[in-house]
Amino acid sequence: APEIRFEDVHFGYEREREILRGLSFTIPAGQTVAVVGPSGAGKSTLARLLYRFYEVGQPGQGPQASGRITIDGLDLRACTQASLRRAIGIVPQDTVLFNDSIEYNILYGRPDAGPEEARRAAQAAHIHDFISALPQGYQTAVGERGLKLSGGEKQRVAIARTLLKDPPILIFDEATSALDSANERAIQAELRQVARNKTTLVIAHRLSTVVDAHQILVLEQGRIVERGRHADLLAAG
Ligand code: ADP
Ligand code: ADP
């Protein structure tokens, strides 16, 4: 797995309002770094920069950004979107699914995998029962004429896709925030399992959910105000 580095990253969606104000941190190869902090601190923004939804280090119009993000020393700007899509698996807060079957959505990113693998991933993400409970024919279509999935169900489809894809870099952006508590604990365990030895960025709003991260960054108003392991941060209050 690769090492990820943020070097003095500044970012603002608009000229006058800086959202990230000089972030520097490293996610060592195969480790998990968690970012916690209040809503609006810039946690999702930071995650979006890593998969190049927004660009860092591109002065001029639009978003204002400076600094550098590297993967194994390679500037993110030198990576193609295609290579990033292969290397990074994302479970976002609000999943948008393709207007296609659930199986298609799960298999996306793993064209070589078959229905049996999709089924196993669906099972691990606790979505299998729900798929098979639907009437034949109608059963797996997502979108306007098909299923209306709840936020939690969509999130579980995204989790199944990521479990199956098994990429070297993972981003969990409040990956279980839409789940009911019955599913949450079991699926968190699956996520931890898949994150083992992967370079992982976890975004969470509660410190209590990131107990076993190698390092936790506390983000407030676009700045890292504290960093350490779970026990250190608890001790610090
Ligand atoms: P968090 O994930 O910590 O809740 P976000 O990164 O979502 O924080 O948001 C940080 C700040 O950036 C907020 O003030 C939010 O309103 C603003 N923001 C987020 N996305 C956009 C956007 N696409 N355009 C303009 N401002 C945005
Ligand atoms: P909460 O709202 O309880 O803080 P979130 O839904 O915001 O939790 O997201 C926390 C997510 O981070 C969960 O999906 C959890 O599985 C994941 N997570 C926490 N710690 C780790 C870890 N060490 N490795 C992988 N994933 C983790």
Side-chain angles (χ1 to χ4, degrees), residues 13-14 17 19 38-46 48 54 174:
Y13 294 95
E14 296 140 32
R17 197 160 155 254
I19 301 295
S39 169
K43 305 184 295 297
S44 291
T45 300
L46 177 167
R48 286 179 205 136
Y54 289 100
E174 298 182 15

Side-chain angles (χ1 to χ4, degrees), residues 28-88:
Q31 295 204 359
T32 297
V33 167
V35 179
V36 300
S39 169
K43 305 184 295 297
S44 291
T45 300
L46 177 167
R48 286 179 205 136
L49 293 180
L50 180 54
Y51 57 85
R52 265 183 77 183
F53 191 82
Y54 289 100
E55 203 84 70
V56 153
Q58 208 179 44
Q61 356 71 323
Q64 298 295 297
S66 68
R68 216 162 82 98
I69 301 173
T70 60
I71 298 182
D72 270 348
L74 181 70
D75 197 305
L76 201 61
R77 283 167 289 177
C79 303
T80 64
Q81 291 290 356
S83 69
L84 285 179
R85 268 200 301 277
R86 275 195 300 276
I88 304 181

Side-chain angles (χ1 to χ4, degrees), residues 136-169:
Q136 224 28 65
Y138 179 72
Q139 68 184 16
T140 55
V142 180
E144 276 164 37
R145 273 157 302 166
L147 282 176
K148 287 265 177 279
L149 298 185
S150 72
E153 288 161 348
K154 283 191 256 185
Q155 202 163 41
R156 280 184 277 163
V157 174
I159 289 167
R161 177 193 298 159
T162 305
L163 294 175
L164 180 62
K165 187 176 171 192
D166 203 24
I169 300 172

